[in-house]
Structure formats: structure tokens, C-alpha cells
Amino acid sequence: MTIPFINLGAQYNIHKSAIDHAIHAVLDHGQYIMGPEVAILESALADYIGVKHVLACSSGTDALVLPLMARGLTKGDAVFTTPFTFFASAEAISLIGATPVFVDIDPETYNLDPIDLERKISDVKSHGSLRPKAIMPVNLFGIAADFNKINSVADKHQLFVIEDSAQSFGAPFHGKKACGLAHVGATSFYPAKPLGCYGDGGAIFTNDEELYKMMKSLRVHGQSTEGDKYDNKRIGLNARMDTIQAAILIEKLKFYDMEIQLRNNVAKQYGTLLCEQVKTPTIPHNQGSVWAQYSIQVKNRARLTRDLASVNIPTAIFYPIPIHLSTAFQHLGYQKGDFPVSEKIANHIVSLPMHPYLESRQIEDIARAVNQSVST
Ligand SMILES: *Cc1c(COP(=O)(O)O)cnc(C)c1O
């Protein structure tokens, strides 16, 4: 029997009647685009995270593009981000014409290193060819970056902060929740994320009313949010969330906390069972994880993935190529060796199966197989 890496089917089976009912309600009222469920979801998400304004949108990627567009970022603007993330983080920056400037990561949390951030801001300032404008920290694998330090660096240099929380919706951080830790937060509801819908979806979180209005206009072709909707005010996108996805998310948000608890139980059991040769995740003081991934580091990763595959245990590698070494960003001129921590971790990281419905016996089997592989 293969152990699934994630198990969306188990979740659906438990909540089938509520989810089916929510989908059918949309089919019955027929407002497939911007139906009433979208505003209901936005207000539930705002309450959950503790921010004033939420915009549901078409994907996590568009949730990053919209705030960058709304701030008018353009050619010549530098946005500081991590190279150890999913491609979309840096892609959004380039898509609007700005330049991603990479900053190495912390070896424990795999998130943006605030000390290297200071260094890279100084480099850009002294070089003079780009204007430092914004920081896009990424909350990787379910754990928020060090926003206390990052926000103070941002204040000092007057930089705008966009939180890429696609993997960490609501992760606990010093009494607050991820998505609400910076000027603007973005998340993804891609099915495999901790809170996923049944297609593509995302959301943007902010307390800034002006920014919210601008993003709301850009979400629908730059349309006027007050006057004549056919007199478009600016160039925007079609970045709306489908009503059906909103209806599904309203239901799934209701049991999100319970699922995070279950994910925490899985992580705890992994932590007790895995042997010393395995580097397990580090959760900083006063923080928590929503366990988008349970990622470990081992010396011989190729052997581990092979050994686990031979007993039908799937693994995944997030991420084998740091973004500064990806083909699409060759033009930025980065070299191997530029981000030693990211590059080293990219060679040793591997993610084990993680979902709320992983059974104790399965976790024991996985841990036993891992321990055996790393100690032979
Ligand atoms: C998934 C992800 C995104 C993009 O989200 P989509 O909904 O797939 O567009 C952006 N950033 C990070 C870190 C992600 O993991």
C-alpha cells in the first residue's frame, strides 16, 4: 500500500455533505462570478487573520502581482526576496518589471535572513543602479519569517513589505497570524496548500484602505470602484476568485484550526520518532507552524528518496534549484556560490508525507524507513 504524500480525498470524505451543499447553492443561484460567497469569504478571512481588508483573487501568484502593481513598482525598482522559495515569488516581481534582489536564508527556518537583508540593501544603495523599494519575505513550509526584525529593517530604509504567505496561511507569530504581519499579505488556496480550494485561488490581506481600493480596481481590469464601470481607470487584470471556490473555502475555513491541530500531532510524532541523523524542522520561540510541509535534512538525500520509494513512501524536494540558478533568471547574472546557505539546503532538504489524516501507524512506518536509510 502506498502512503499518500497529501490526502485531499480523506478530507473531502469527512466533509462531503457540507462542501457538496455549498457548491450546489452556487449552482442554484447562478452567480458564478463575484457571487455573494466571495464577500462572505473575504469577511471570514479578515476576521480569522485580524486585518481590516481582504480581497479574494484568482491565485497566490496574482495575490503577489496585485500589491506590486498597486504600489506602482516598475523598471529600476529593487524588491528583496529569498532564492529558496517557489518560483512564483520572484516571478511576480519580474512580471511587473521590477528586479528581484536575492537575500540568503536562515539555516534553521529556511526563511529570509534579516542580517543578509541589511547587507543586500546596502549593496543596492551603494551600487546605485536600482532603487530599493520593497521586501518580499516568504513564510516557507508553514513557518513565518522573522517579521519583527524584517519590519524594523523595512522601517529604517522606508521599504514596503509584501508577505508571501502562500504556504503559511494563519501561522502563529507572537500572538498574531501570518498574512497579517506586514503592509500587505498574500496567500494561495492551491489545493495542496494548508487551506486549499478545488482549483486555483488566493487572497490579499491589508489594513491599508488606499492600497485595498487600488487592488480592488486592478483585480477587475482597473475598473472604477465608484463611478462608471465602463470608464476604466487604469490597466489591470482579470484576477477574480470564482464563486464556487469561495463557497468551498467558507466551509473549509470552519475546520482549518482543527486540521492544523492534526498536522501538529503528525509533526510531533515525526519529531519523537526520527533519529539524530535527521535534521527536523525548527520552530522559533513564540511561533507555530501550519505544516505545509514536513521537511527534513539528511546527508545522503538520493539514497533516502530511493530507499523510501522502494517501500512505496513518496517524498518531494522543495526546492532542488534555488531561484537565482534557474534558467529564467540567468539574465540577473547570479553565480553558483552567491547564496551558500540556500544552495546547501537545496542539496539536502526533502519533504516527508504530511497531511491531517496521516495515521500513527503510517508515521511509524515512514520514520522507521527513514531511520534505517540514514543509519546504514
Ligand atoms: C504556491 C506558492 C505561490 C503561488 O501560488 P499559486 O496559487 O500557485 O499561484 C507563491 N509563493 C509560494 C511560496 C508558494 O508556495
Side-chain angles (χ1 to χ4, degrees):
M1 265 283 286
T2 302
I3 295 176
F5 190 75
I6 61 167
N7 192 344
L8 297 172
Q11 182 196 57
Y12 177 59
N13 285 333
I14 295 169
H15 300 282
K16 186 171 168 29
S17 70
I19 292 171
D20 288 357
H21 188 267
I23 293 171
H24 280 110
V26 177
L27 298 181
D28 285 337
H29 70 52
Q31 295 179 61
Y32 308 121
I33 298 293
M34 296 311 273
E37 286 83 356
V38 175
I40 295 169
L41 173 68
E42 288 173 339
S43 121
L45 292 170
D47 283 350
Y48 185 83
I49 298 297
V51 297
K52 280 200 198 119
H53 307 288
V54 172
L55 270 180
C57 66
S58 43
S59 70
T61 306
D62 286 337
L64 295 170
V65 170
L66 283 166
L68 293 165
M69 281 177 85
R71 286 287 292 198
L73 267 81
T74 184
K75 199 165 155 43
D77 291 340
V79 182
F80 299 88
T81 193
T82 156
F84 192 65
T85 175
F86 180 59
F87 188 71
S89 316
E91 181 184 40
I93 297 165
S94 284
L95 196 67
I96 56 104
T99 301
V101 174
F102 295 114
V103 173
D104 214 350
I105 56 170
D106 178 279
E108 292 297 321
T109 63
Y110 315 134
N111 286 328
L112 198 82
D113 173 7
I115 296 167
D116 198 45
L117 173 63
E118 280 271 21
R119 214 178 287 135
K120 297 293 156 44
I121 294 170
S122 304
D123 289 354
V124 167
K125 283 189 167 171
S126 62
H127 196 263
S129 61
L130 294 171
R131 300 173 295 270
K133 279 289 170 69
I135 308 170
M136 184 190 287
V138 177
N139 302 330
L140 208 68
F141 299 153
I143 300 173
D146 189 347
F147 274 87
N148 289 337
K149 290 196 182 132
I150 292 168
N151 284 336
S152 81
V153 172
D155 286 347
K156 188 170 131 194
H157 297 278
Q158 294 181 307
L159 300 174
F160 180 68
V161 183
I162 300 152
E163 181 189 358
D164 179 350
S165 203
Q167 299 184 12
S168 304
F169 172 74
F173 180 89
H174 298 262
K176 295 192 204 172
K177 284 180 175 152
C179 292
L181 305 177
H183 296 130
V184 61
T187 201
S188 164
F189 302 122
Y190 180 80
K193 309 285 177 173
L195 179 61
C197 56
Y198 292 160
D200 278 308
I204 310 167
F205 303 77
T206 189
N207 288 316
D208 180 335
E209 171 116 32
E210 286 306 305
L211 185 71
Y212 166 73
K213 283 187 182 158
M214 180 63 93
M215 295 190 299
K216 192 168 180 179
S217 162
L218 291 168
R219 178 175 67 172
V220 188
H221 306 292
Q223 129 188 324
S224 166
T225 47
E226 281 122 33
D228 183 348
K229 82 176 201 181
Y230 292 107
D231 179 17
N232 297 56
K233 300 295 178 209
R234 51 191 68 85
I235 303 298
L237 300 171
N238 172 358
R240 296 171 296 231
M241 175 185 279
D242 292 2
T243 311
I244 287 180
Q245 301 305 338
I248 292 162
L249 286 164
I250 291 168
E251 293 310 312
K252 285 204 179 189
L253 184 61
K254 294 178 187 165
F255 54 83
Y256 185 65
D257 281 340
M258 191 188 71
E259 287 202 339
I260 296 309
Q261 189 51 53
L262 295 174
R263 285 177 189 264
N264 268 302
N265 296 346
V266 172
K268 206 167 160 192
Q269 199 183 343
Y270 269 137
T272 349
L273 295 174
L274 290 169
C275 69
E276 277 189 353
Q277 283 96 312
V278 177
K279 180 164 169 42
T280 55
T282 306
I283 303 190
H285 182 62
N286 265 333
Q287 288 190 230
S289 180
V290 293
W291 301 109
Q293 302 297 340
Y294 190 89
S295 302
I296 58 173
Q297 285 185 70
V298 293
K299 219 180 258 158
N300 192 340
R301 180 176 65 189
R303 182 164 73 197
L304 179 71
T305 55
R306 200 169 353 107
D307 289 350
L308 293 191
S310 75
V311 289
N312 295 323
I313 298 172
T315 53
I317 297 174
F318 305 118
Y319 294 91
I321 303 174
I323 299 186
H324 67 285
L325 300 177
S326 68
T327 305
F329 283 115
Q330 286 309 292
H331 64 280
L332 295 177
Y334 288 106
Q335 316 266 318
K336 214 170 183 168
D338 284 346
F339 301 95
V341 183
S342 300
E343 290 169 29
K344 179 167 174 256
I345 288 164
N347 287 329
H348 295 279
I349 199 99
V350 53
S351 301
L352 300 178
M354 166 53 83
H355 60 80
Y357 308 102
L358 207 55
E359 292 161 17
S360 263
R361 252 201 14 241
Q362 296 177 314
I363 303 167
E364 283 166 17
D365 290 347
I366 297 165
R368 192 179 314 111
V370 172
N371 289 345
Q372 198 167 20
S373 171
V374 298
S375 31
T376 50

